[in-house]
Amino acid sequence: MADNKVYRASTTAPVNIAVVKYWGKRDPKLNLPTNSSISVTLSQADLRTLTTASCAACFADGDSLTLNGELSDVSGARIQACFRELRARRAVLETADPSLPKLSRMALKLVSENNFPTAAGLASSAAGFAALVQAIANLYELPDSPAQLSLVARQGSGSACRSLFGGYVAWRMGDKEDGSDSMADLVAPASHWPNMRALILVVSAAKKGVSSTSGMQQTVATSGLFRQRISNIVPTNMAAMEQAIKTRDFAKFAEVTMRDSNSFHACCADTYPPIFYLNDVSKAAIRAVESINAKAGKAIAAYTFDAGPNCVVYYLDEEAPTVLGTFSSVLGSGVTGWKEGSAGIRSSVE
Ligand code: 2P0
């Protein structure tokens, strides 16, 4: 009998903001990084991607992806790698149990929506690929753990492998050539440090000038400082950051976060020709955090910037009046909007 059914599953995935940054690939095809990284997962209340995956024998036009209402290209190698890996995992289940519908042979329709600016340095590719992989994994009823799915999401976008857990997540670079050990793991759940907060200063919602993928390749190829970063600075920061998270040592967490962001942007400036992601408002945000911390006599706020001018400030809930008060008075005019999100847990999945 013909299978007329449409199979469907939806999920959301959160944004993560790295506190030890991923920058550089040792294998661009498999998205294998030159260094490990750690991120904090933000609450999905303000920042998330919602993706619905469906498949049916009658979907005749091949795989498709609609992103924020517009049809998007699915011929790229990275998205194809995700489809291939997930179909292969589903096919194993179908072989083991021939009564299962042959979803792995049907075209996939994906509909995805962000509730925040795409490609503005707010890690949209991380939430996007994490939601895509998780939605298809749900559709296919795969038994894979978040760590196993992180191997697939990594191939879509490196940072996406850190958006499948919630809480504080490390991506271990691994050393195998096939990438089978380059995956993410949970350092601590969000409940371990529930008073962590993130303030996102949307300095610009415009698309960034130099994409992460090409920027990091230029850095790997031309920056001497970058070699120092991957051999010494990141391993030191990884160890210190894991310790700071485990012991809930905010001052240490803040120092390492700011140092690592500075190190990453210094490597961008050391790239030839140089890459500048920060603008004058970004720099004013750095000075505002410096003044908050100087006044407090200890680090109670930490700035970090990805491949764009937007600033993320981490702080503890008990310091909210001081941190938020300073930002609204100092930066009011240059900042187009901000969202406050607590470090959150991954939402339950349909
Ligand atoms: C991070 N970024 O760790 C760093 C900090 C930007 C600066 O991960 O080429 O979009 O898709 O693997 O994941 C942005 O890089 O790059 C990123 P691809 P991705 O969050």
Side-chain angles (χ1 to χ4, degrees):
M1 208 176 66
D3 182 356
N4 295 325
K5 221 176 136 183
V6 176
Y7 299 86
R8 182 174 289 125
S10 293
T11 194
T12 57
V15 162
N16 73 76
I17 302 292
V19 287
V20 177
K21 307 287 190 192
Y22 152 51
W23 196 252
K25 298 176 204 269
R26 66 181 197 274
D27 181 333
K29 202 162 161 253
L30 288 172
N31 261 351
L32 300 181
T34 49
N35 61 264
S36 297
S37 54
I38 298 189
S39 59
V40 179
T41 313
L42 302 189
S43 159
Q44 300 198 49
D46 283 321
L47 298 153
R48 55 108 185 105
T49 301
L50 164 66
T51 297
T52 299
S54 49
C55 65
C58 63
F59 288 174
D61 297 337
D63 299 331
S64 70
L65 167 64
T66 305
L67 179 56
N68 292 326
E70 285 184 26
L71 213 54
S72 184
D73 183 24
V74 290
S75 65
R78 289 153 171 237
I79 196 164
Q80 285 296 324
C82 293
F83 289 169
R84 196 169 51 243
E85 289 262 344
L86 293 162
R87 283 198 165 103
R89 290 171 195 220
R90 170 69 188 184
V92 170
L93 301 183
E94 291 168 2
T95 306
D97 179 357
S99 73
L100 288 176
K102 304 286 182 286
L103 306 191
S104 66
R105 298 185 197 167
M106 298 175 187
L108 282 163
K109 244 186 217 175
L110 294 147
V111 178
S112 200
E113 237 175 65
N114 293 334
N115 62 350
F116 59 93
T118 302
L122 281 181
S124 61
S125 70
F129 271 103
L132 178 140
V133 167
Q134 187 72 63
I136 300 172
N138 292 352
L139 174 70
Y140 288 172
E141 298 184 334
L142 300 182
D144 301 58
S145 65
Q148 288 169 321
L149 290 180
S150 79
L151 288 167
V152 183
R154 187 204 77 227
Q155 295 179 58
S157 185
S159 52
C161 75
R162 300 186 312 237
S163 267
L164 293 160
F165 298 76
Y168 303 82
V169 180
W171 173 13
R172 315 285 174 190
M173 63 181 289
D175 58 14
K176 291 194 180 150
E177 264 182 44
D178 67 358
S180 57
D181 60 350
S182 187
M183 64 209 292
D185 65 49
L186 187 65
V187 173
S191 58
H192 167 76
W193 208 352
N195 47 342
M196 180 68 78
R197 297 289 180 271
L199 170 69
I200 297 146
L201 298 157
V202 182
V203 170
S204 165
K207 224 175 147 79
K208 62 198 171 202
V210 181
S211 79
S212 298
T213 307
S214 82
M216 63 177 86
Q217 288 309 90
Q218 292 164 36
T219 302
V220 171
T222 64
S223 169
L225 189 56
F226 172 75
R227 285 190 274 282
Q228 170 84 355
R229 172 168 167 78
I230 61 173
S231 62
N232 293 332
I233 295 168
V234 172
T236 303
N237 287 353
M238 282 294 292
M241 182 55 77
E242 280 198 66
Q243 181 69 12
I245 291 169
K246 290 202 167 121
T247 57
R248 291 187 287 264
D249 179 346
F250 188 84
K252 192 72 196 166
F253 170 92
E255 183 188 337
V256 178
T257 296
M258 293 186 281
R259 281 182 181 276
D260 197 80
S261 176
N262 295 344
S263 155
F264 154 50
H265 288 280
C267 289
C268 291
D270 188 50
T271 300
Y272 192 78
I275 303 167
F276 302 115
Y277 288 119
L278 308 187
N279 65 20
D280 286 349
V281 181
S282 317
K283 289 173 194 168
I286 293 176
R287 282 192 289 270
V289 169
E290 289 299 339
S291 107
I292 289 168
N293 291 342
K295 249 187 238 158
K298 60 180 180 176
I300 60 165
Y303 57 79
T304 187
F305 300 83
D306 285 340
N310 296 328
C311 182
V312 175
V313 179
Y314 288 113
Y315 60 98
L316 297 178
D317 194 36
E318 51 270 34
E319 305 292 357
T322 311
V323 175
L324 302 182
T326 302
F327 274 100
S328 49
S329 60
V330 172
L331 286 175
S333 57
V335 176
T336 57
W338 60 268
K339 287 174 186 251
E340 187 190 357
S342 59
I345 327 167
R346 189 165 62 116
S347 274
S348 60
V349 156
E350 260 180 44

